[in-house]
Amino acid sequence: MEPKNEPVSRIYLVTRPIFSEDSFSHKLRIIFMFVFGHSCDGKRVKNALLSLLPIIAWMKIYRLKEWLLGDVVSGVSTGLVAVLQGLAFALLASLPPGYGLYSAFFPAVVYFFLGTSRHLSVGPFPVLSLMVGAVVTRIVPDVGPPANITEFEGLTINQQRVIVASSITFLMGIFQLAMGLLQVGFIVIYLSDTLISGFTTAAAVHILVSQLKFVHDLCFQTLEQIFLQITKANVADVVTSIIIIVAVIAVKEINERFKLRVPIPIEVIMVGIITQMTFQYGFLFYSVPFFRYESPLAPNVEVMKEGAVDAITIAIVGFAVAFSVAKVYSVKHDYIIDGNQELIAFGASNIFGGAFRSFAASTALSRTAVQESTGGKTQIASLISALIVLITIVGIGFLLEPLPKSVLGALVIVNLKGMLMQFREICYLWTRDKTDLVIWVLTCVAAIILGLDLGLAVGVGVELITVVFRAQFPRCCILANIIGTDIYRDRKDYLCIHEPDKVKIFRIPSPIFFANIEFFRDKLIQAVGFSPLRVLRKRNKALRKIKKMIKNGELQMSSLDDENNTDDLDQPTDFSDLPVQVNWKAELPANISVPPVDIHSLVLDFSAVSFIDISALKVLKMTLKEFIRVDVEVYIVSCDVYIREKMHDCMFFDDEIKTSMFFPTLHDVMLHILTKHPDCSQDSQWAKKTVGLEPGVGTLNYY
C-alpha cells in the first residue's frame, strides 16, 4: 500500500530532440518584451492609493458579523495589556511612566491606516525602550549636568528627558520613512532570525538588571552595586514584586495550557489589588507620579544631531523585530505584507508619536500574541486597544497614581520570560547548525558586554563574515546518474548510481565571483584528478623533444637549445611540423613521460550559479581553455540566460570556447556525450536502460 501524502509511483514518457542551448534557442525563440506604460489612468491611481493606504483593501473584505466580536474582545484584552506595558516600558526609557501610554496610543492610530499587517499590536517594545533610555541617560544623566542643549535651560530633568526621547523617536521615524520611500526594505535581510534572537536575549539581560532597582527601590547601575546595597532594599517593594512575578507567571501558564478563549487578565487584577492596598493602607512604596495629557512638542535639532547614529540603529532594530513578527502571522493567516510599506507605516507612526511626546514604537511580542490569540482579525482590534489607552490617559489615569514602581518593574521582568527562554536555542543550534550558533552566541555576548548598539554591529559583522565564508567555500561535488532515471545526484549520497566512464560531472553550488573562483578551480582540478595546465606544459615539452628527435632522424634524447624557453608552453599543442598526430595515450619514446588524462568529457553544472563577475569570468575562461587544449571536451549545463548574455558582452566566446558547449539539462548533455562516445559507459546496457537513447534517431525518451 502506498503511504499517505507520498507521490504515487507512475511512469511518464517524453520524446523530444536532444537540445543544446543553441538549438533550443533556435527552435523555441526566446522573446523578451518590455512594456513601459506612461499613461496615468484610473487603475494606476487606484493601485497607488491601495498601496499607500492598505486599510482600504482589508476594509472592503471585512466580515462584520464574523469578525467584529473577535476584534472587540481582542481590542479590550490587548488594550488592558497595552496600558500596563506602556507604563512599565517607560521605566526602561528612563521616563515618567505616563509617557509610555502616549507610545501605546499615537503610533497605533497611525499604523491602523498605513500598516499591512492585520495582527501587529504597535506600541512600546522593551528592547527599543532600553535603547532609547541609553541615549536619554547619556544626554541627561542621573548625576551631573546634561549635555549643552539650549532648550534645556529652566527645565526639570524629566522634561529634558522627554525632549530627548521624543526627538530621537522623531528622527527614527524620518529614517524609517526615508527607507520606505527609497524602497530599501530589503535591508532587514541582514538581520537574520538567529541574530535577532541573540540580540533580544542580550537585551533581556540588560532589561532584567535595569528593573531590579525598581524591585528593590535602590539606585544602582551595575550588578556589583546590587550586592553592595542589597541590605538597603525596601522590603515592601521586594515582597510585592515577588508575589506579582509568581502569580503572573502561574496564571499565564494556566492561560497557555488550557488555551482559554479570553485569557485571565492577571496583570490587570494584580495592578488593581496593589493599587487599592497602597491607596487604602498607605504602604511605603515608590509610586507612579500623577500624569495627564500634554500638548505636542517640536523635536529638538541639537538632540537629533547628538543621537543620529543611535536613531539609525533603533530604526533598523525596531523595523526588523516588527517585520519578523508580522511575517509569522501573515503566513499563519494567509495574507501578504509589504516590507517597504511597513517601513513607511512605522516611519509615519514614530514621526507622529515623537511630535506627541512618545518614545520609539515597534511591537511587543507578548502583546501581539494576546491580540491574535483572543480572536483579533484586523487592525480594528488595535484601534480599540488604542481607545482603551486613550481613556486611561484622559479619564482614569489618576487612579493609577498610587501604583508602586516596583509593580511595573515586576511586570517588565515577567514579560521578559519569552526573550530569556531563547537561551534554549543554544542547544537547538548546537545540533542543527554550528555556524548559526556562533552568530547567536557572539551577538548575545557582545551585546551584553559592549552594549546593545555595538553588540548589534558585532552581530551583523559576524553574520556577514559567515555569509562570505559560506559563499567562498561551498560544498562542491561530483554528480552521478541515479540508475533508471534522468536524475543526477552527489555520488557520495546514493548507492544505486552509475558514473559514466571517462566523464566527470562537477556541480558548482553557489555564485562565482572574485573571492571564490580560485577555490572552485582547485576543487575542479582535485575532482578530475589532474592539472590541465601541468599536462599541457608536459605535452608541449615532450613535443619539442619529439620534433628534435624526428629532425635528427633518431629516437635518442638530445639537448635542445630552446628547451628552457617556457613562454609558449601554455599554448595549444602544435602538430604542424609533424607528419603524424601524437597519441598521448600510447607509449611514448624513452625518457618522455606525460601525465595521463583519464577523461574525455567534463560537465559543469551551473544550475545553482546565480551570477558571475568579470574577474571570475577571466579565470573561468582560462581554466576551460586549459582543459580544451588537453583534448577534454567541456560542457556547461543549466546556465542562466542572463549569465550567458553577460558572457557574450564580456567577449567570453572565441574559437576555442563556443556557445555549442552549453546545454539546457544534464540529461541532454549526457545523451550528446553518449552519442559522440558510445563506449563511455562500462555497462553497455546503461545507456539504453537509463536514458532511452535510440541510436541514429537523435531523440531521448524519459521512462
Side-chain angles (χ1 to χ4, degrees):
M1 180 180 291
E2 295 279 354
K4 291 184 178 180
N5 300 323
E6 292 291 331
V8 180
S9 297
R10 295 178 179 175
I11 298 176
Y12 70 89
L13 172 63
V14 177
T15 302
R16 66 166 175 81
I18 300 173
F19 284 123
S20 67
E21 288 289 359
D22 286 345
S23 62
F24 183 79
S25 300
H26 179 75
K27 183 86 173 178
L28 306 170
R29 299 278 183 184
I30 301 176
I31 301 175
F32 295 94
M33 300 181 63
F34 299 93
V35 180
F36 298 94
H38 298 282
S39 60
C40 186
D41 53 17
K43 186 175 182 180
R44 291 172 65 86
V45 173
K46 178 182 176 182
N47 291 337
L49 187 61
L50 290 176
S51 175
L52 188 61
L53 293 173
I55 182 177
I56 299 175
W58 60 260
M59 283 296 285
K60 288 170 60 177
I61 62 171
Y62 191 82
R63 303 173 187 173
L64 188 64
K65 294 182 179 179
E66 299 178 29
W67 292 355
L68 183 59
L69 179 60
D71 280 340
V72 171
V73 173
S74 174
V76 173
S77 302
T78 308
L80 296 175
V81 175
V83 168
L84 299 178
Q85 288 189 351
L87 295 172
F89 295 162
L91 300 181
L92 298 175
S94 299
L95 298 174
Y99 292 97
L101 298 182
Y102 297 156
S103 298
F105 173 69
F106 292 107
V109 173
V110 176
Y111 187 86
F112 172 79
F113 295 99
L114 300 178
T116 58
S117 174
R118 302 176 192 172
H119 294 87
L120 278 189
S121 176
V122 176
F125 176 53
V127 175
L128 294 193
S129 302
L130 189 67
M131 296 175 76
V132 171
V135 183
V136 168
T137 53
R138 188 182 75 231
I139 297 177
V140 185
D142 292 323
V143 180
N148 187 18
I149 305 295
T150 306
E151 195 173 330
F152 283 179
E153 295 181 5
L155 299 179
T156 65
I157 185 173
N158 282 338
Q159 291 172 330
Q160 293 172 353
R161 289 184 168 185
V162 169
I163 292 175
V164 173
S166 60
S167 298
I168 293 298
T169 300
F170 190 91
L171 183 58
M172 165 195 175
I174 290 176
F175 284 134
Q176 289 179 328
L177 183 62
M179 288 191 292
L181 294 176
L182 294 174
Q183 304 285 296
V184 292
F186 66 87
I187 196 171
V188 298
I189 66 175
Y190 294 105
L191 301 179
S192 67
D193 291 342
T194 302
L195 185 147
I196 292 175
S197 174
F199 177 77
T200 53
T201 303
V205 174
H206 281 284
I207 294 169
L208 177 63
V209 174
S210 71
Q211 292 308 290
L212 292 178
K213 64 183 179 182
F214 297 112
V215 171
H216 294 83
D217 191 13
L218 296 173
C219 181
F220 58 83
Q221 298 296 328
T222 65
L223 285 173
E224 180 184 5
Q225 293 173 342
I226 294 178
F227 296 106
L228 292 176
Q229 301 182 37
I230 193 68
T231 56
K232 301 177 183 179
N234 187 317
V235 176
D237 278 310
V238 173
V239 172
T240 302
S241 300
I242 293 174
I243 293 173
I244 290 175
I245 291 173
V246 172
V248 172
I249 290 178
V251 175
K252 282 194 170 185
E253 287 294 327
I254 294 174
N255 289 339
E256 292 179 7
R257 176 167 297 185
F258 295 100
K259 300 185 183 302
L260 301 179
R261 180 67 176 82
V262 179
I264 300 172
I266 183 61
E267 294 99 330
V268 177
I269 294 173
M270 295 304 297
V271 166
I273 293 174
I274 298 299
T275 302
Q276 179 62 28
M277 291 175 62
T278 305
F279 179 77
Q280 185 170 351
Y281 299 107
F283 289 154
L284 183 58
F285 289 111
Y286 181 31
S287 301
V288 175
F290 175 68
F291 56 89
R292 59 178 65 84
Y293 174 74
E294 297 183 27
S295 60
L297 178 68
N300 185 280
V301 177
E302 294 178 84
V303 171
M304 290 195 288
K305 289 180 180 178
E306 289 281 338
V309 176
D310 301 278
I312 294 175
T313 305
I314 296 170
I316 294 174
V317 172
F319 173 66
V321 172
F323 189 69
S324 61
V325 175
K327 282 194 300 183
V328 171
Y329 290 105
S330 68
V331 171
K332 181 178 180 179
H333 295 278
D334 192 25
Y335 62 87
I336 298 173
I337 57 174
D338 182 346
N340 292 311
Q341 180 60 29
E342 286 293 291
L343 270 171
I344 293 173
F346 277 104
S349 298
N350 282 300
I351 289 173
F352 189 72
F356 282 87
R357 303 174 186 262
S358 298
F359 55 88
S362 177
T363 183
L365 282 66
S366 58
R367 194 170 60 246
T368 299
V370 169
Q371 180 166 313
E372 190 268 344
S373 63
T374 53
K377 300 295 184 183
T378 65
Q379 281 295 318
I380 287 179
S382 294
L383 184 63
I384 294 174
S385 69
L387 292 177
I388 299 293
V389 176
L390 179 63
I391 293 172
T392 305
I393 294 174
V394 300
I396 62 175
F398 68 93
L399 296 176
L400 297 176
E401 184 177 1
L403 181 65
K405 280 192 175 181
S406 60
V407 174
L408 299 181
L411 292 178
V412 171
I413 292 174
V414 169
N415 280 283
L416 295 178
K417 177 189 173 186
M419 289 192 287
L420 291 174
M421 292 297 287
Q422 291 176 142
F423 276 112
R424 294 182 300 181
E425 292 195 17
I426 294 177
C427 298
Y428 175 82
L429 293 174
W430 175 261
T431 59
R432 301 300 195 281
D433 193 324
K434 299 292 193 302
T435 304
D436 276 356
L437 174 65
V438 171
I439 295 173
W440 195 100
V441 172
L442 291 182
T443 302
C444 184
V445 172
I448 291 174
I449 297 176
L450 303 177
L452 295 181
D453 48 355
L454 292 178
L456 180 64
V458 170
V460 173
V462 171
E463 191 170 52
L464 291 179
I465 290 173
T466 62
V467 171
V468 170
F469 270 89
R470 285 174 171 177
Q472 190 168 347
F473 305 108
R475 180 180 177 271
C476 302
C477 61
I478 297 292
L479 302 183
N481 176 253
I482 306 296
I483 296 177
T485 73
D486 62 339
I487 299 172
Y488 296 80
R489 292 290 186 267
D490 187 347
R491 64 181 181 180
K492 296 180 181 178
D493 297 336
Y494 295 85
L495 296 176
C496 299
I497 61 170
H498 178 83
E499 192 171 0
D501 190 29
K502 299 181 181 180
V503 179
K504 291 292 183 183
I505 308 172
F506 184 76
R507 185 172 188 272
I508 302 172
S510 80
I512 307 176
F513 54 101
F514 66 93
N516 65 8
I517 183 61
E518 290 298 337
F519 172 81
F520 284 131
R521 177 184 168 87
D522 294 340
K523 285 294 183 181
L524 178 59
I525 291 174
Q526 181 182 339
V528 298
F530 64 89
S531 168
L533 182 59
R534 179 172 176 269
V535 172
L536 181 61
R537 289 176 175 175
K538 287 283 188 178
R539 286 186 178 183
N540 281 328
K541 282 186 178 181
L543 193 61
R544 288 179 182 177
K545 296 178 181 180
I546 293 173
K547 287 181 180 180
K548 187 69 174 180
M549 295 169 67
I550 293 176
K551 183 179 180 181
N552 294 338
E554 57 186 28
L555 292 177
Q556 70 181 49
M557 188 65 64
S558 61
S559 61
L560 299 175
D561 295 334
D562 61 345
E563 189 171 339
N564 293 325
N565 181 14
T566 60
D567 292 343
D568 58 347
L569 292 182
D570 297 348
Q571 300 303 312
T573 307
D574 184 10
F575 296 103
S576 59
D577 295 337
L578 291 177
V580 294
Q581 292 280 341
V582 176
N583 183 1
W584 298 110
K585 298 179 182 179
E587 185 177 352
L588 298 174
N591 299 324
I592 297 179
S593 64
V594 175
V597 176
D598 298 326
I599 63 173
H600 58 64
S601 300
L602 172 64
V603 180
L604 302 180
D605 182 3
F606 268 41
S607 59
V609 179
S610 58
F611 75 87
I612 183 169
D613 66 7
I614 294 178
S615 300
L617 271 179
K618 292 178 181 178
V619 179
L620 178 65
K621 182 175 182 178
M622 179 181 66
T623 304
L624 297 187
K625 284 190 173 185
E626 291 170 3
F627 279 102
I628 293 171
R629 289 170 182 176
V630 295
D631 304 321
V632 175
E633 299 168 6
V634 180
Y635 303 96
I636 298 177
V637 301
S638 303
C639 182
D640 187 86
V641 62
Y642 296 103
I643 294 180
R644 296 204 312 273
E645 287 181 3
K646 184 172 185 176
M647 290 177 172
H648 276 287
D649 296 338
C650 295
M651 304 299 179
F652 183 78
F653 300 104
D654 55 24
D655 293 338
E656 292 181 276
I657 300 180
K658 302 176 181 179
T659 57
S660 58
M661 68 169 53
F662 287 80
F663 283 76
T665 69
L666 272 172
H667 213 50
D668 279 294
V669 74
M670 289 306 301
L671 292 173
H672 172 77
I673 293 171
L674 285 173
T675 305
K676 198 170 183 179
H677 304 276
D679 59 338
C680 75
S681 176
Q682 295 175 347
D683 181 2
S684 59
Q685 297 298 318
W686 173 78
K688 182 177 180 180
K689 177 181 178 181
T690 299
V691 301
L693 181 64
E694 300 179 13
V697 178
T699 62
L700 68 93
N701 300 328
Y702 293 134
Y703 295 105

